Amino acid sequence: MSADAWWKNGIVYQIYPRSFQDSDGDGIGDLAGIRRRLDYLVALGVDAIWISPIYPSPMADFGYDISDYCDVDSRFGTLADFDALAADARARGLKLILDFVPNHTSDRHPWFIESRSARESPKRGWYLWRDPAPDGGPPNNWLSHFGGPAWTLDEASGQYYCHSFLKAQPDLNWRNPQVREAMFEVLRFWLRRGVDGFRVDVLSDLIKDELFRDNPANPAFVPGENPLLQLLPIHNTDQPDMQDIVFEMRRVTDAFSDPASSRVLIGELYLPLPRLMHYYGRNAEGLLQGVQLPFNFQLVGAKWLPAEIDRIVREYEAALPPGAAPNWVLGNHDKPRIASRVGPQGARLAAMLLLTLRGTPTLYYGDELGMADVPIPPDRVQDPAEKNVPGKGLGRDPVRTPMRWSGEPNAGFTTGTPWLPLGEGWAEGNVEAQAQDASSMLTLYRRLIALRRREPALHEGSYAPLAAGPEVLAYARAHGARRLVVLLNFGATPAPIPSQLLGVDAELLASTHADGEASLHEGRMLRPLEGLVFASAPA
Ligand code: GLC
């Protein structure tokens, strides 16, 4: 097996640690809880887990505001709990990916406290400090992702500091070599503890325009939308100098790769396709020296129409630099859940799509149960994105609710009061119940994952689009002489199974419908929202 096989051919599973499994009754998930559930993940069939931030944090942005990069928040446990989790994961052959948050620290991080203490502070240049504009206002018009200006005045020193997110999340100055070295040392700290890679938070934003120029107005802005979209963020995101930083980061992780297993970098990048491809970091010799997996979020925002998805997949495939590893994502802790976007049956079709496309799939915890967004009563809202810009649907609490394990109180998530409500439907829609049910979403996920693992055509084969009518997304995956055909009917009416695509004696390998395998007969149509995978016999 090649050193990179696990992240190229494997499956990544995202755990939002606050919501996975609580072990001490405080209503918040923790590392010991994750450790207890490793066997579930092995049985599911995933290869790697990515855990959202576990570091000490005031939790203004639930762990994405870090006050110490080299420790574990007491709510999640201790470094010893981390080591025990890592050892157990390793013993089960599961790779462990941590979240690296390089763009900003917490305002309680000692670096920022020091930086803020005086203009002459040796750490002043570790953050982005600017004098006020002539009128005393912010230095430029940049906006925070969580509402309002990206600048806050520090009264004591009379300067503003930049924060792309909350004012409690000051942006680091990545043009400063000391910052780079300190942050690379953070990577090494965790690499020495045996982690297999990092998901890098808002990778595109680390470097800002050196002249701090105003962003231009967005001519396509529709009043009433998310106010962030008023400006085109051309001066505070995806700057040309980013490439060097990505190369440096990669050199740090590569130094810990060994012939049996390479370390991986996965970049959080919401960028147009051509820009996204830059983060693979293809140099003049054609070598890929950037992040191995720039997250491909196109399905997360896609119009759920077969022609649209067909276009997305073709364009993505065509845009990939030679040798680059593709990847696909259906959901994460920031975006509405797939089951809420496309409905319960649509989510089964989406699962088949994700697990049969060419490229590393990333699953979001709970999607394998068909979990939908949980409505959050106003008095239980936690997310600053909702609190600061209310009513625009920006709140992420609905997608971060507790994992549903069993029919026990609080679905087996906690013996205390869960930090977010469980919502409805968990008494039936939990792991224990679904594991017994041949027609459940969990059973479908397990089957599709097993099929993907078993079939080289699916985990490392080629991809070729096929034409099968307006409502059916169709493609072939092939490896050597083995050829699989995937047919996904997005329509509300039956669609013919195009036998010319399948050849004679095609074998049905998987269906989104629980009875699918049993009912293949002459004249059989794809039912509404049905997906099928065939092994097509050689012509
Ligand atoms: C990323 C994270 C998000 C967080 C933000 C600020 O987009 O995914 O959850 O709020 O960065 O760190």
Side-chain angles (χ1 to χ4, degrees), residues 367-408:
D367 279 355
E368 77 275 26
L369 304 176
M371 273 173 68
D373 296 353
V374 172
I376 308 294
D379 62 334
R380 295 205 58 186
V381 169
Q382 305 271 351
D383 184 14
E386 179 66 32
K387 287 184 174 166
N388 292 359
V389 189
K392 301 237 182 274
L394 301 178
R396 299 162 298 176
D397 297 329
V399 312
R400 297 174 173 181
T401 59
M403 180 68 174
R404 300 161 169 203
W405 294 105
S406 69
E408 288 164 53

Side-chain angles (χ1 to χ4, degrees), residues 61 64 104 146 165 199 201-202 268 333-334 396 400:
D61 189 21
Y64 284 96
H104 44 269
F146 291 148
F165 294 87
R199 172 267 190 189
D201 193 62
V202 280
E268 188 203 19
H333 64 296
D334 294 326
R396 299 162 298 176
R400 297 174 173 181

Side-chain angles (χ1 to χ4, degrees), residues 14 16 50 52-53 61-65 99 101 103-104 145-146 164-166 169 199-203 268 270 297 332-334 383-385 396 400:
Q14 182 190 354
Y16 193 69
W50 147 36
S52 286
D61 189 21
F62 297 105
Y64 284 96
D65 50 318
D99 217 305
V101 187
N103 181 68
H104 44 269
H145 285 266
F146 291 148
S164 301
F165 294 87
L166 298 172
Q169 293 168 296
R199 172 267 190 189
V200 188
D201 193 62
V202 280
L203 177 59
E268 188 203 19
Y270 288 93
F297 292 128
N332 60 32
H333 64 296
D334 294 326
D383 184 14
R396 299 162 298 176
R400 297 174 173 181

Side-chain angles (χ1 to χ4, degrees), residues 438-459:
S439 68
S440 71
M441 184 66 136
L442 181 59
T443 301
L444 176 66
Y445 260 93
R446 283 184 173 162
R447 284 192 189 150
L448 290 172
I449 291 172
L451 182 68
R452 186 177 179 93
R453 295 184 76 90
R454 192 162 71 230
E455 292 283 353
L458 290 181
H459 63 248

Side-chain angles (χ1 to χ4, degrees), residues 353-378:
L353 173 72
L354 178 70
L355 291 164
T356 58
L357 280 174
R358 190 177 86 89
T360 309
T362 299
L363 311 186
Y364 183 51
Y365 88 95
D367 279 355
E368 77 275 26
L369 304 176
M371 273 173 68
D373 296 353
V374 172
I376 308 294

Side-chain angles (χ1 to χ4, degrees), residues 142-196:
W142 296 353
L143 296 172
S144 151
H145 285 266
F146 291 148
W151 297 95
T152 289
L153 179 66
D154 174 55
E155 303 271 351
S157 65
Q159 283 191 311
Y160 282 83
Y161 66 89
C162 179
H163 52 88
S164 301
F165 294 87
L166 298 172
K167 68 178 184 197
Q169 293 168 296
D171 284 15
L172 282 162
N173 175 13
W174 272 81
R175 293 188 187 276
N176 184 329
Q178 291 178 355
V179 167
R180 294 190 192 192
E181 196 35 47
M183 292 303 279
F184 295 153
E185 217 20 61
V186 169
L187 293 176
R188 293 187 195 104
F189 174 87
W190 292 104
L191 288 161
R192 282 186 212 108
R193 287 195 115 83
V195 313
D196 297 288

Side-chain angles (χ1 to χ4, degrees), residues 95-116:
K95 302 289 183 180
L96 185 53
I97 298 169
L98 289 184
D99 217 305
F100 179 51
V101 187
N103 181 68
H104 44 269
T105 67
S106 160
D107 61 348
R108 314 259 187 91
H109 194 293
W111 297 342
F112 187 70
I113 294 173
E114 163 71 57
S115 180
R116 183 176 212 163

